[in-house]
Amino acid sequence: KTSSTVILLNKLFENREIQKTYYAVAIGKMTSKGSMTAPIDNKLSFTSYEVMEQEVSEKFDYLNLVKLIPESGRKHQLRKHLAEQGNPILGDPLYGNKGKILKGNGLYLHAYSLAFTHPITKEKLLFSASPTKKFTRLFPKIDF
Protein backbone atom coordinates (compact mmCIF):
# COMPACT_ATOMS: atom_id res chain seq x y z
CA LYS A 1 0.00 0.00 0.00
CA THR A 2 1.21 3.42 -0.88
CA SER A 3 -0.20 6.61 0.58
CA SER A 4 -1.59 7.57 -2.85
CA THR A 5 -3.42 4.23 -3.10
CA VAL A 6 -4.84 4.66 0.41
CA ILE A 7 -6.16 8.09 -0.60
CA LEU A 8 -7.76 6.62 -3.73
CA LEU A 9 -9.36 3.78 -1.71
CA ASN A 10 -10.74 6.30 0.79
CA LYS A 11 -12.29 8.21 -2.13
CA LEU A 12 -14.02 4.99 -3.24
CA PHE A 13 -15.66 4.78 0.19
CA GLU A 14 -16.57 8.49 0.15
CA ASN A 15 -18.12 8.19 -3.32
CA ARG A 16 -19.97 4.98 -2.35
CA GLU A 17 -18.18 2.96 -5.01
CA ILE A 18 -17.53 0.04 -2.69
CA GLN A 19 -20.36 -2.50 -2.47
CA LYS A 20 -20.73 -3.96 1.00
CA THR A 21 -22.75 -7.03 1.96
CA TYR A 22 -23.62 -8.05 5.49
CA TYR A 23 -25.51 -10.91 7.10
CA ALA A 24 -27.51 -10.55 10.28
CA VAL A 25 -29.92 -12.60 12.32
CA ALA A 26 -33.00 -10.46 12.89
CA ILE A 27 -35.85 -11.12 15.30
CA GLY A 28 -39.55 -11.22 14.36
CA LYS A 29 -41.63 -11.82 11.25
CA MET A 30 -40.18 -10.19 8.11
CA THR A 31 -41.21 -9.86 4.49
CA SER A 32 -38.98 -11.75 2.06
CA LYS A 33 -37.27 -8.64 0.70
CA GLY A 34 -37.48 -4.91 0.86
CA SER A 35 -35.70 -1.71 1.66
CA MET A 36 -35.35 0.61 4.60
CA THR A 37 -34.95 4.35 4.29
CA ALA A 38 -34.61 6.59 7.30
CA PRO A 39 -32.50 9.56 8.23
CA ILE A 40 -29.63 8.80 10.58
CA ASP A 41 -27.87 11.79 12.15
CA ASN A 42 -30.00 14.01 9.89
CA LYS A 43 -28.62 12.34 6.74
CA LEU A 44 -30.58 10.12 4.39
CA SER A 45 -29.67 6.44 4.60
CA PHE A 46 -30.81 3.47 2.55
CA THR A 47 -30.47 -0.29 3.03
CA SER A 48 -31.91 -3.10 0.92
CA TYR A 49 -32.44 -6.55 2.39
CA GLU A 50 -33.41 -10.10 1.52
CA VAL A 51 -34.45 -12.79 4.00
CA MET A 52 -32.40 -15.86 3.06
CA GLU A 53 -34.05 -18.17 5.58
CA GLN A 54 -36.64 -17.85 8.34
CA GLU A 55 -37.06 -20.17 11.33
CA VAL A 56 -39.80 -20.28 13.94
CA SER A 57 -38.36 -19.64 17.41
CA GLU A 58 -40.01 -20.32 20.75
CA LYS A 59 -38.18 -17.48 22.47
CA PHE A 60 -38.01 -14.92 19.62
CA ASP A 61 -41.11 -15.86 17.53
CA TYR A 62 -39.04 -15.84 14.32
CA LEU A 63 -35.35 -15.70 13.52
CA ASN A 64 -34.36 -14.49 10.05
CA LEU A 65 -31.05 -14.81 8.28
CA VAL A 66 -30.99 -11.49 6.44
CA LYS A 67 -28.66 -10.36 3.66
CA LEU A 68 -28.16 -6.59 3.95
CA ILE A 69 -26.77 -4.18 1.38
CA PRO A 70 -26.28 -0.64 2.67
CA GLU A 71 -26.23 2.12 0.07
CA SER A 72 -24.97 4.65 2.59
CA GLY A 73 -22.58 4.21 5.47
CA ARG A 74 -24.03 5.78 8.58
CA LYS A 75 -22.99 4.78 12.08
CA HIS A 76 -25.03 1.77 13.26
CA GLN A 77 -27.14 2.07 10.10
CA LEU A 78 -28.04 -1.62 9.78
CA ARG A 79 -28.77 -1.98 13.49
CA LYS A 80 -30.94 1.14 13.53
CA HIS A 81 -32.83 0.31 10.33
CA LEU A 82 -33.75 -3.19 11.44
CA ALA A 83 -34.72 -2.05 14.94
CA GLU A 84 -36.87 0.79 13.56
CA GLN A 85 -38.89 -1.64 11.47
CA GLY A 86 -39.39 -3.93 14.47
CA ASN A 87 -36.75 -6.54 13.61
CA PRO A 88 -33.72 -5.88 15.81
CA ILE A 89 -30.55 -7.88 15.35
CA LEU A 90 -30.18 -10.81 17.71
CA GLY A 91 -27.81 -9.96 20.56
CA ASP A 92 -28.04 -6.19 20.07
CA PRO A 93 -27.84 -4.64 23.56
CA LEU A 94 -28.23 -1.08 22.24
CA TYR A 95 -31.14 -1.31 19.77
CA GLY A 96 -32.66 -4.69 20.68
CA ASN A 97 -35.85 -5.39 22.57
CA LYS A 98 -34.98 -5.43 26.28
CA GLY A 99 -36.96 -8.63 26.90
CA LYS A 100 -35.36 -10.44 23.96
CA ILE A 101 -31.63 -10.02 24.42
CA LEU A 102 -29.47 -13.08 23.86
CA LYS A 103 -26.49 -12.86 26.19
CA GLY A 104 -23.11 -14.44 25.71
CA ASN A 105 -22.88 -14.78 21.91
CA GLY A 106 -22.48 -11.14 20.91
CA LEU A 107 -24.14 -9.30 18.07
CA TYR A 108 -25.34 -11.47 15.17
CA LEU A 109 -24.06 -9.12 12.46
CA HIS A 110 -21.36 -10.16 10.01
CA ALA A 111 -19.51 -8.10 7.38
CA TYR A 112 -19.57 -10.64 4.54
CA SER A 113 -18.03 -8.95 1.52
CA LEU A 114 -16.51 -5.89 -0.11
CA ALA A 115 -16.44 -5.44 -3.88
CA PHE A 116 -14.82 -2.61 -5.81
CA THR A 117 -12.72 -1.72 -8.81
CA HIS A 118 -9.06 -1.23 -7.92
CA PRO A 119 -8.35 2.49 -8.36
CA ILE A 120 -5.06 1.95 -10.20
CA THR A 121 -5.22 -1.42 -11.99
CA LYS A 122 -9.00 -1.18 -12.67
CA GLU A 123 -9.28 -4.87 -11.71
CA LYS A 124 -12.62 -5.86 -10.17
CA LEU A 125 -11.95 -7.18 -6.68
CA LEU A 126 -14.15 -9.13 -4.28
CA PHE A 127 -13.19 -9.98 -0.71
CA SER A 128 -15.45 -12.17 1.40
CA ALA A 129 -15.43 -14.04 4.70
CA SER A 130 -18.00 -16.66 5.67
CA PRO A 131 -19.98 -16.04 8.86
CA THR A 132 -18.91 -17.69 12.08
CA LYS A 133 -20.31 -20.93 13.48
CA LYS A 134 -22.93 -19.11 15.53
CA PHE A 135 -24.70 -18.31 12.23
CA THR A 136 -24.43 -21.81 10.79
CA ARG A 137 -25.67 -23.33 14.06
CA LEU A 138 -28.91 -21.38 13.69
CA PHE A 139 -29.19 -21.86 9.92
CA PRO A 140 -27.37 -25.12 9.04
CA LYS A 141 -28.90 -25.38 5.54
CA ILE A 142 -27.34 -22.13 4.33
CA ASP A 143 -24.20 -22.40 2.23
CA PHE A 144 -22.35 -19.09 2.25
Side-chain angles (χ1 to χ4, degrees):
K1 283 199 284 194
T2 63
S3 60
S4 60
T5 303
V6 170
I7 291 168
L8 291 171
L9 287 170
N10 285 335
K11 286 204 180 297
L12 291 177
F13 275 105
E14 285 176 30
N15 298 331
R16 297 188 180 118
E17 295 177 50
I18 294 184
Q19 296 78 43
K20 298 170 268 187
T21 303
Y22 293 81
Y23 281 99
V25 176
I27 298 169
K29 186 81 169 153
M30 293 182 73
T31 59
S32 62
K33 60 172 63 172
S35 61
M36 300 169 279
T37 305
I40 296 176
D41 299 329
N42 296 318
K43 295 179 183 174
L44 187 62
S45 60
F46 179 82
T47 303
S48 60
Y49 73 88
E50 180 179 358
V51 175
M52 307 305 290
E53 190 173 331
Q54 187 175 75
E55 298 284 338
V56 175
S57 168
E58 190 173 305
K59 183 174 182 179
F60 301 106
D61 300 321
Y62 291 92
L63 291 176
N64 308 277
L65 179 62
V66 185
K67 181 179 181 180
L68 300 156
I69 301 173
E71 297 296 323
S72 46
R74 310 284 179 241
K75 183 176 180 179
H76 296 183
Q77 175 176 325
L78 303 174
R79 295 167 71 183
K80 287 179 179 180
H81 275 170
L82 285 166
E84 285 175 6
Q85 77 169 22
N87 302 107
I89 296 174
L90 184 62
D92 193 336
L94 191 56
Y95 303 104
N97 297 340
K98 298 298 179 216
K100 294 187 175 184
I101 298 293
L102 182 68
K103 295 183 181 176
N105 284 325
L107 183 67
Y108 279 74
L109 177 64
H110 174 74
Y112 178 69
S113 69
L114 288 174
F116 60 94
T117 301
H118 191 283
I120 295 173
T121 67
K122 305 303 179 199
E123 178 184 2
K124 293 198 183 293
L125 300 173
L126 171 66
F127 300 95
S128 64
S130 293
T132 60
K133 288 181 183 176
K134 68 182 184 182
F135 283 82
T136 54
R137 267 188 243 121
L138 291 175
F139 299 99
K141 298 176 201 163
I142 294 292
D143 184 26
F144 293 97

